[in-house]
């Protein structure tokens, strides 16, 4: 993705408006052209003149202003931008955006925009944690909006908690790194992929239909996003990806060792492997002979790699997968809580629904306080979207 050059900054009315003035200065320092649209309330905190002086462009406040409509109507204005950032975004503005209201210039520009949109919320901690605000935020995420912050700390009202607008330097850095595609720059990502093979005797084993494609696509997407990637892979037919440290394993026990010994040294762990849940109690040294009409295999449970990583003292941001044939959401949420994960990506498997051994997939992603649907698409694109989402949630946690 090319670096954005033309930034449309939307400013709504909160005390954090003064920080957005600094944001304009930082963006211009990066060589970007900035145009500003303010709500009427924002203009009461800091005058449009301040933003005009800092951006070097006329500031727009009214939807039906004959003068500015002549110079640049709201549709052309929205299309002009490579990227739109709304900072600060008040609870009221977020509510309006999430419901598609367009009763002033800023909300209309948001609806007309076809570029990436970022929102930096700013509000009192109680307003931020209200379920209705959280529902509106979840809706914005579903609509493809990228969140920056909010941060935690002391607020203008004297209270402490989540809701403070992120600092202008952080917003500027987030716009640059996420937009340039390097959203995991400097981070170490560990991914497990593919099936495992549980031997019964020298010639037979128990395995599953996992192709490893999703895990490999995630490894490549993470590498492309700037991360240093280690891929622990069960047996697959896939070529070794370039610039990725590939550790080949066969059994669930080998995968456990390979992951556990590396996990503490990584910032993110994505458990995309289809690990055998059970393994034979005994591996027979000779080929098992055909004898009786019926036979029984004694199996014991394997260790849950994902849950063990999530319970490490120094744990990476831990992402699991849930492949389900029924009750997708309930099972995914249960795993998220029971295995103490940071995020879980759930998908339907079986009956031509993508998933195992297919080129396409769709994911329902859940994390504490949010969910997002990643619609059916090729596994490479899906991997990019999931990596982008992991980077966003990870940044919001810091
Ligand atoms: O509980 P379930 O096996 O459905 O959970 C799936 C998730 O747990 C996947 O992310 C898978 O990689 C991981 N898992 C694991 N070790 C196991 C079994 C599953 O890491 N033994």
């Amino acid at each position: 993705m090319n670096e954005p050059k033309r930034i449309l900054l939307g400013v709504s009315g909160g005390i954090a408006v003064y920080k957005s003035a600094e944001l304009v200065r930082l963006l211009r320092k990066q060589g970007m052209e900035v145009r500003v649209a303010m709500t009427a309330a924002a203009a009461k905190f800091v005058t449009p003149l301040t933003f005009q002086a800092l951006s070097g462009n006329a500031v727009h406040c009214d939807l039906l202003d004959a003068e500015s409509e002549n110079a640049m109507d709201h549709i052309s204005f929205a299309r002009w931008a490579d990227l739109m950032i709304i900072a600060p975004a008040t609870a009221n503005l977020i509510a309006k955006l999430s419901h598609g209201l367009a009763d002033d210039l800023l909300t209309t520009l948001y609806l007309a925009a076809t570029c990436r949109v970022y929102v930096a919320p700013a509000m009192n901690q109680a307003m931020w944690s209200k379920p209705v605000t959280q529902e509106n935020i979840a809706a914005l995420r579903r609509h493809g909006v990228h969140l920056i912050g909010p941060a935690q700390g002391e607020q203008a009202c004297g209270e402490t908690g989540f809701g403070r607008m992120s600092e202008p330097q952080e917003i500027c850095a987030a716009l640059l790194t996420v937009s340039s595609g390097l959203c995991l720059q400097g981070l170490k990502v560990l991914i497990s992929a593919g099936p495992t093979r549980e031997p019964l005797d020298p010639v037979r084993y128990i395995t599953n239909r996992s192709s490893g494609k999703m895990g490999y696509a995630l490894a490549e997407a993470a590498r492309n996003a700037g991360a240093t990637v280690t891929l622990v892979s069960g047996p697959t037919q896939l070529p070794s990806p370039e610039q990725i440290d590939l550790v080949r394993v066969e059994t669930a026990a080998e995968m456990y060792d390979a992951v556990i010994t590396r996990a503490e040294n990584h910032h993110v762990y994505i458990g995309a492997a289809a690990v055998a849940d059970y393994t034979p109690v005994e591996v027979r040294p000779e080929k098992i002979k055909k004898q009786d009409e019926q036979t029984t295999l004694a199996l014991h449970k394997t260790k849950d790699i994902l849950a063990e990583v999530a319970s490490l003292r120094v744990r990476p941001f831990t992402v699991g997968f849930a492949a389900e044939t029924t009750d997708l959401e309930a099972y995914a949420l249960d795993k998220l809580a029971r295995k103490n994960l940071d995020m879980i990506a759930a998908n339907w498997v079986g009956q031509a629904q993508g998933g195992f051994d297919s080129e396409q997939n769709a994911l329902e992603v859940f994390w504490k306080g949010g969910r997002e649907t990643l619609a059916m698409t090729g596994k490479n694109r899906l991997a990019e979207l999931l990596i982008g989402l992991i980077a966003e949630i990870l940044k919001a946690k810091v």
Side-chain angles (χ1 to χ4, degrees):
M1 199 182 304
N2 292 331
E3 244 183 46
K5 288 272 172 277
R6 301 192 292 199
I7 312 283
L8 166 51
L9 170 64
V11 185
S12 64
I15 182 63
V17 173
Y18 77 94
K19 292 190 188 175
S20 298
E22 172 69 358
L23 178 60
V24 175
R25 204 183 60 77
L26 294 174
L27 291 171
R28 289 207 65 198
K29 235 171 110 181
Q30 294 294 330
M32 298 180 189
E33 192 183 342
V34 183
R35 289 180 183 269
V36 180
M38 300 177 82
T39 63
K44 295 207 164 143
F45 283 92
V46 174
T47 65
L49 200 59
T50 305
F51 283 95
Q52 184 174 312
L54 289 167
S55 68
N57 282 313
V59 171
H60 303 262
C61 297
D62 299 313
L63 181 57
L64 301 171
D65 171 356
E67 220 169 80
S68 60
E69 285 284 315
N70 277 338
M72 196 182 258
D73 68 78
H74 58 272
I75 301 293
S76 323
F77 191 6
R79 296 294 150 75
W80 165 87
D82 296 329
L83 186 156
M84 181 176 189
I85 161 82
I86 304 178
T90 60
N92 178 53
L93 187 85
I94 287 167
K96 282 162 73 174
L97 299 183
S98 65
H99 288 83
L101 294 187
D103 61 353
D104 63 4
L105 178 65
L106 180 48
T107 48
T108 306
L109 287 172
Y110 167 76
L111 267 195
T114 50
C115 58
R116 271 178 173 240
V117 180
Y118 293 79
V119 162
M123 67 197 75
N124 164 275
Q125 51 84 22
M127 294 170 78
W128 171 252
S129 52
K130 263 282 171 338
V132 69
T133 303
Q134 288 305 309
E135 279 160 25
N136 292 336
I137 288 287
L140 283 188
R141 282 192 198 277
R142 280 199 305 279
H143 303 162
V145 169
H146 300 263
L147 279 222
I148 301 177
Q152 193 176 18
E154 201 181 316
Q155 305 198 305
C157 54
E159 295 179 12
T160 305
F162 273 102
R164 254 170 83 120
M165 189 171 93
S166 297
E167 294 306 316
Q169 291 80 355
E170 281 166 45
I171 298 177
C172 188
L175 294 182
L176 288 172
T177 53
V178 180
S179 301
S180 67
L182 295 177
C183 55
L184 291 180
Q185 181 84 49
L187 297 187
K188 290 176 80 177
V189 176
L190 178 64
I191 298 174
S192 51
T196 62
R197 264 183 200 167
E198 309 305 317
L200 286 159
D201 67 17
V203 293
R204 302 188 182 93
Y205 51 75
I206 302 173
T207 190
N208 59 64
R209 291 183 188 280
S210 168
S211 63
K213 283 176 195 151
M214 192 67 221
Y216 277 56
L218 282 165
E220 296 196 342
R223 176 203 62 202
N224 295 344
T228 304
V229 182
T230 304
L231 177 62
V232 175
S233 173
T236 72
Q237 301 294 318
L238 302 171
S240 310
E242 280 173 32
Q243 290 163 29
I244 286 172
D245 179 19
L246 180 65
V247 182
R248 291 192 189 277
V249 296
E250 198 157 311
T251 63
E254 287 169 11
M255 187 171 276
Y256 174 87
D257 288 341
V259 170
I260 284 295
T261 51
R262 290 170 173 84
E264 286 191 339
N265 191 23
H266 285 77
H267 300 96
V268 179
Y269 170 61
I270 308 175
V275 187
D277 292 324
Y278 290 91
T279 192
V281 168
E282 179 195 14
V283 184
R284 303 278 283 274
E286 281 113 36
K287 189 178 164 201
I288 302 166
K289 286 286 168 212
K290 178 166 47 179
Q291 280 171 340
D292 303 334
E293 275 308 305
Q294 284 192 8
T295 187
T296 309
L297 285 172
L299 305 172
H300 66 74
K301 248 190 177 163
T302 56
K303 286 190 213 163
D304 192 313
I305 305 169
L306 189 62
E308 300 245 351
V309 169
S311 65
L312 288 172
R313 199 177 51 81
V314 183
R315 75 201 272 279
F317 183 89
T318 308
V319 183
F321 270 75
E324 306 294 349
T325 51
T326 55
D327 298 321
L328 184 90
E329 179 170 347
Y331 282 125
L333 289 174
D334 170 65
K335 274 172 209 173
L336 183 72
R338 190 164 40 82
K339 301 196 188 192
N340 188 29
L341 308 178
D342 295 296
M343 187 185 260
I344 190 150
N347 63 288
W348 293 103
V349 285
Q351 302 143 32
Q353 311 208 51
F356 274 27
D357 205 14
S358 103
E359 293 303 324
Q360 296 226 319
N361 204 358
L363 293 172
E364 284 295 332
V365 188
F366 302 88
W367 62 94
K368 221 187 209 170
R371 64 179 288 174
E372 189 155 325
T373 303
L374 304 180
M376 183 67 78
T377 183
K379 285 186 175 172
N380 289 341
R381 176 68 191 136
L382 197 64
E384 277 174 16
L385 294 171
L386 185 59
I387 289 294
L389 192 59
I390 290 171
E392 254 183 63
I393 305 303
L394 195 59
K395 287 215 166 85
K397 265 186 77 135
V398 180

